[in-house]
């Protein structure tokens, strides 16, 4: 773990950073991914007086927040938690010595429709094989959706079909980059509700919570994620016990605003663009003592 450091004004970004400048570190193209949120996440971390010793990401998914935190030295270490065994297989492999096998498998794979089908229809016997199968699905399925019922791209980008999002050299480079700082990332295959309580009483732990869907979005959650059922009321209740700071991101719904208000949390709308580049807003939710909210005057 790196030594905890004190943040000062000189650490603050001089301006809002364009999303296009965010380093693409994750091997996933993930529905609901948070690459667009990275500049806001940086602002949140820099609003801390001290660098967090631990960043906990209990719904890791594509992991861009944890990867950014460690790559940019915004936290001492990251703890990523993911329940989906297919996604977990990827992180187990990338953060182990099997990452070399995975990169070679990606680089040497002859991507044809027939070969893709052979791989995804085969039952994987090892974690690293499941990891390759998952990355292949993620890169050849519609929207990167891994949920049951999703299927292979037909036309894809510029008529390239399943090859539309298959960039083997790029994927290999991202995996190699993660390998360089893997010692500062702990990965847990498990349930967020089992892991969050272990960190609630650590004041130097900051928690970034990005649930798979909101209480008002069950249909979308079922379509996008295999593990979409979530007790949001319990999640909010857990956060009331957090000694350190936490930041939650949610779809902008009245239901979530009411849940936040009941727990005496602050919330704020922030702009975003979805995968179709439509302008939308999401909510961020946090403590009343969170400096990110205290320095902004447009809290709802």
């Amino acid at each position: 773990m790196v030594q905890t450091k004190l943040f000062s004004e000189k650490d603050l970004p001089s301006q809002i950073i364009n999303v296009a400048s965010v380093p693409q570190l994750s091997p996933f193209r993930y529905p609901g991914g948070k690459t667009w949120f990275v500049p806001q996440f940086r602002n949140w971390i820099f609003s801390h007086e001290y660098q967090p010793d631990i960043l906990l990401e209990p719904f890791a998914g594509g992991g861009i927040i944890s990867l950014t935190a460690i790559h940019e030295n915004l936290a001492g270490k990251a703890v990523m938690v993911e329940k989906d065994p297919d996604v977990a297989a990827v992180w187990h492999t990338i953060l182990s010595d099997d990452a070399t096998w995975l990169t070679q498998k990606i680089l040497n794979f002859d991507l044809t429709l027939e070969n893709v089908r052979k791989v995804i229809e085969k039952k994987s016997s090892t974690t690293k094989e499941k990891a390759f199968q998952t990355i292949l699905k993620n890169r050849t399925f519609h929207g990167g959706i891994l949920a049951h019922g999703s299927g292979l791209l037909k036309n894809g980008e510029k008529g390239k079909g399943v090859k539309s999002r298959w960039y083997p050299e790029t994927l290999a480079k991202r995996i190699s980059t993660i390998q360089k700082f893997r010692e500062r990332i702990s990965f847990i295959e498990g349930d967020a509700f089992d892991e969050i309580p272990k960190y609630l009483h650590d004041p130097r732990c900051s928690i970034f919570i990005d649930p798979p869907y909101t209480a008002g979005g069950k249909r979308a959650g079922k379509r996008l994620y295999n593990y979409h059922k979530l007790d949001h009321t319990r999640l909010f209740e857990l956060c009331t016990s957090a000694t350190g700071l936490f930041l939650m991101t949610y779809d902008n719904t009245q239901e979530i605003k009411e849940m936040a208000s009941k727990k005496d949390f602050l919330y704020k709308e922030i702009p975003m663009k979805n995968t179709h580049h439509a302008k939308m807003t999401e909510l961020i939710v946090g403590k009343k003592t969170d400096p990110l909210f205290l320095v902004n005057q447009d809290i709802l």
Side-chain angles (χ1 to χ4, degrees):
M1 184 183 300
V2 299
Q3 186 177 4
T4 300
K5 70 177 182 181
L6 178 70
F7 285 134
S8 64
E9 289 186 4
K10 66 180 177 63
D11 293 306
L12 290 168
S14 58
Q15 59 184 5
I16 298 297
I17 302 168
N18 191 296
V19 174
S21 71
V22 176
Q24 301 294 311
L25 300 167
S26 176
F28 288 97
R29 49 187 301 256
Y30 215 78
K34 280 291 177 286
T35 299
W36 68 271
F37 188 76
V38 166
Q40 187 72 32
F41 169 72
R42 290 178 180 138
N43 289 338
W44 179 57
I45 291 294
F46 283 123
S47 74
H48 291 46
E49 183 179 4
Y50 288 93
Q51 176 196 69
D53 284 347
I54 301 171
L55 175 75
L56 173 65
E57 189 175 8
F59 301 96
I64 186 60
I65 295 300
S66 290
L67 297 177
T68 299
I70 300 306
H71 184 252
E72 299 183 7
N73 198 27
L74 301 178
K77 66 174 288 187
V79 178
M80 298 168 58
V81 182
E82 176 56 50
K83 189 174 184 179
D84 188 315
D86 292 337
V87 177
V90 175
W91 292 120
H92 280 308
T93 302
I94 288 178
L95 296 171
S96 75
D97 292 338
D98 284 332
T100 301
W101 176 92
L102 182 59
T103 56
Q104 290 304 310
K105 189 74 173 178
I106 291 170
L107 289 170
N108 295 328
F109 185 67
D110 181 15
L111 194 140
T112 66
L113 186 58
E114 182 182 1
N115 287 343
V116 170
R117 284 177 172 159
K118 284 181 180 178
V119 172
I120 65 177
E121 291 171 3
K122 180 182 177 182
K123 185 174 182 180
S124 302
S125 59
T126 65
T127 299
K128 64 184 181 182
E129 288 175 350
K130 183 183 285 188
F132 176 69
Q133 185 183 62
T134 301
I135 287 180
L136 191 61
K137 287 180 180 179
N138 179 251
R139 288 282 160 176
T140 59
F141 278 19
H142 290 284
I145 297 171
L146 295 170
H148 301 307
S150 183
L152 289 165
L153 286 163
K154 292 181 180 180
N155 296 322
E157 186 180 272
K158 296 181 180 180
K160 293 180 180 179
V162 292
K163 294 185 178 181
S164 295
R165 300 291 182 178
W166 185 248
Y167 307 113
E169 291 81 10
T170 298
L171 289 169
K173 183 178 179 180
R174 291 182 189 179
I175 293 170
S176 297
T177 297
I178 296 169
Q179 275 275 297
K180 294 175 182 177
F181 50 76
R182 67 172 181 168
E183 297 301 324
R184 292 172 56 202
I185 298 177
S186 296
F187 177 75
I188 299 168
E189 181 178 352
D191 193 311
F193 288 101
D194 293 332
E195 300 304 322
I196 292 174
K198 299 176 183 178
Y199 296 88
L200 289 175
H201 304 295
D202 186 343
R204 290 294 176 85
C205 174
S206 294
I207 309 175
F208 176 77
I209 301 172
D210 179 40
Y213 76 102
T214 67
K218 294 180 180 179
R219 182 175 298 177
K222 185 176 182 179
R223 181 177 64 84
L224 297 175
Y225 312 105
N226 288 325
Y227 294 84
H228 59 277
K229 292 183 179 180
L230 192 69
D231 186 343
H232 296 273
T233 301
R234 184 183 172 197
L235 185 58
F236 272 73
E237 183 63 34
L238 280 175
C239 288
T240 62
S241 301
T243 304
L245 294 176
F246 69 86
L247 191 67
M248 308 169 80
T249 61
Y250 267 103
D251 289 343
N252 189 357
T253 66
Q254 186 60 34
E255 186 172 10
I256 296 302
K257 292 178 180 179
E258 290 174 1
M259 291 174 70
S261 297
K262 286 179 181 178
K263 298 300 181 184
D264 206 25
F265 298 152
L266 292 179
Y267 60 85
K268 179 188 175 188
E269 294 181 357
I270 55 173
M272 67 160 290
K273 289 184 179 180
N274 65 11
T275 53
H276 302 291
H277 302 290
K279 293 182 179 180
M280 304 171 66
T281 58
E282 276 206 8
L283 292 178
I284 55 173
V285 180
K287 287 184 174 184
K288 278 191 171 181
T289 55
D290 191 323
L292 182 68
F293 291 89
L294 294 176
V295 298
N296 285 277
Q297 301 302 314
D298 54 345
I299 302 300
L300 299 179

